[in-house]
Amino acid sequence: MALITTKKMFEKALKADYAIGAFNVNNMEIVQGIVAAAVEEQSDLILQASGSAIKYAHSGYLIHMLEAAMEEANIDICLHLDHGADFDICRECIDSGFKSVMIDGSKYPLEKNIEITKKVVDYAHISGAVVEAELGKLAGVEDAVNVSAADATYTDPEEAAEFVYKTGVDSLAVAIGTSHGAYKFKGTPKLDLERLEKIHALIPDTPLVLHGASSVPAELTAQCNEYGGQIPGAQGVPEDMIRAAAAKGVCKVNVDTDIRMAMTAEIRKYFIEHPEGFDPRSYLGAGRDAVTALVSHKIRNVMGSSGSAVK
Ligand code: G3H
Ligand code: 13P
Ligand code: ZN
């Protein structure tokens, strides 16, 4: 069993109009919860770690946890760096065993984004790793990135074609209306699927990536709020929009917020129902099971990747 690139999984997904879930990991329970779901669904799997996740868990721990998971479950996994901020973090991850990295140059002007992406692509390809880049700017807040709605810009299809041609990048994240975090839309959710179609038509062989693709299920928000949370007005991308995007060239769908919500909702419930409890195995175990249930549902009903690991 080995850490693998996304190459083969994307080839299959692109042909058959489904997507692979790329799930963010930060600790052992999240890794175990997601892997159990992928095994249940016999799905190809991408686990991704952001710079902040690496700072929190340390890359050695993350890699060794994935090695243990692969050995126990008898599956291959792609370990991907999410939102690599610069060349150095991409190089460090590749050198320590990651087979896929994202260089996020979306905050730069086009030429500078091309330049740093190309530098990472050249390094990665020599080392047998693949690279995702981003063009256009998603709104939203994560640890390392904070883009206001006014600064967000959608991906220009012609620029996307030029970008892929000039960088040789393996996959491209596009901005079509999604955003990071739990508050994605103020009114009715809307994605620019026509723009996605145009991008896909111009670069049909390039796997596209959807960031900020959590659905923020109403029942998870309600459970968090019922058990003491305060997450009013959270709203995500409706599941049918993710399915539509998967049929238009999107091969990788990034999910972090929903995992956080599932785990938090369950742990909140546990503490309210068991005020006497203080064994981390009890509440983290409950949180882990909630992650498995969420990810199984996504793989089966949203990504459509069930069975992809055996195809
Ligand atoms: O898109 C970013 C992910 O949600 C990672 O967030 O930087 O808080 O780990 P993080
Ligand atoms: P969400 O905040 O919608 O889960 O997006 C996660 C993401 O894009 C990670 O790169
Ligand atoms: Zn992202």
Side-chain angles (χ1 to χ4, degrees), residues 112 170 201:
K112 173 97 192 275
D170 301 280

Side-chain angles (χ1 to χ4, degrees), residues 10-263:
F10 283 173
E11 272 166 24
K12 293 185 286 178
L14 198 55
K15 256 191 223 145
D17 285 349
Y18 63 85
I20 308 296
F23 302 103
N24 283 74
V25 294
N26 296 282
N27 67 13
M28 183 188 78
E29 283 75 13
I30 293 176
V31 170
Q32 289 178 333
I34 298 166
V35 169
V39 169
E40 215 168 271
E41 294 298 329
Q42 299 193 297
S43 174
D44 286 335
L45 179 62
I46 302 167
L47 294 181
Q48 55 188 9
S50 66
S52 346
I54 291 172
K55 213 186 227 170
Y56 175 78
H58 302 181
S59 61
Y61 277 83
L62 290 168
I63 289 171
H64 283 94
M65 273 196 289
L66 260 66
E67 280 168 350
M70 291 189 299
E71 194 182 318
E72 191 179 285
N74 200 29
I75 56 168
D76 296 327
I77 297 174
C78 173
L79 173 59
H80 171 80
L81 167 67
D82 190 27
H83 292 283
D86 54 32
F87 176 78
D88 287 347
I89 188 170
C90 293
R91 183 183 51 199
E92 279 161 28
C93 284
I94 292 167
D95 290 352
S96 64
F98 285 56
K99 287 280 178 281
S100 179
V101 294
M102 175 189 190
I103 173 71
D104 185 354
S106 60
K107 60 181 175 294
Y108 297 120
L110 180 65
E111 287 311 320
K112 173 97 192 275
N113 192 355
I114 290 174
E115 185 191 316
I116 63 165
T117 299
K118 173 104 178 55
K119 188 171 171 196
V120 174
V121 168
D122 289 345
Y123 188 80
H125 285 180
I126 290 171
S127 317
V130 293
V131 180
E132 171 187 328
E134 179 169 323
L135 196 61
K137 235 184 255 169
L138 265 71
V141 182
E142 330 138 32
D143 268 10
V145 188
N146 185 344
V147 180
S148 73
D151 288 334
T153 43
Y154 284 9
T155 307
D156 178 84
E158 268 85 26
E159 269 186 16
E162 178 191 347
F163 185 88
V164 168
Y165 176 73
K166 287 188 173 165
T167 58
V169 78
D170 301 280
S171 60
L172 185 69
V174 293
I176 57 164
T178 61
S179 59
H180 291 109
Y183 302 92
K184 300 191 190 297
F185 303 99
K186 287 227 170 69
T188 312
K190 193 173 161 12
L191 295 190
D192 193 343
L193 292 172
E194 275 177 28
R195 181 179 296 268
L196 179 63
E197 256 170 36
K198 280 187 198 146
I199 298 168
H200 182 43
L202 288 175
I203 42 173
D205 299 328
T206 302
L208 303 177
V209 179
L210 205 57
H211 281 247
S214 278
S215 294
V216 195
E219 61 276 16
L220 291 185
T221 312
Q223 189 175 326
C224 281
N225 290 338
E226 183 187 345
Y227 293 100
Q230 284 186 8
I231 319 174
Q235 203 184 4
V237 184
E239 293 182 345
D240 59 339
M241 289 189 191
I242 303 289
R243 282 190 288 269
K248 298 176 196 303
V250 168
C251 294
K252 175 172 178 273
V253 169
N254 286 10
V255 176
D256 187 356
T257 297
D258 285 353
I259 294 167
R260 298 176 181 197
M261 296 279 290
M263 188 155 224

Side-chain angles (χ1 to χ4, degrees), residues 219 222-229 261-275 283 286-287 290:
E219 61 276 16
Q223 189 175 326
C224 281
N225 290 338
E226 183 187 345
Y227 293 100
M261 296 279 290
M263 188 155 224
T264 302
E266 208 52 32
I267 292 173
R268 280 194 175 284
K269 180 166 182 262
Y270 179 88
F271 279 129
I272 297 293
E273 289 181 349
H274 302 88
Y283 56 83

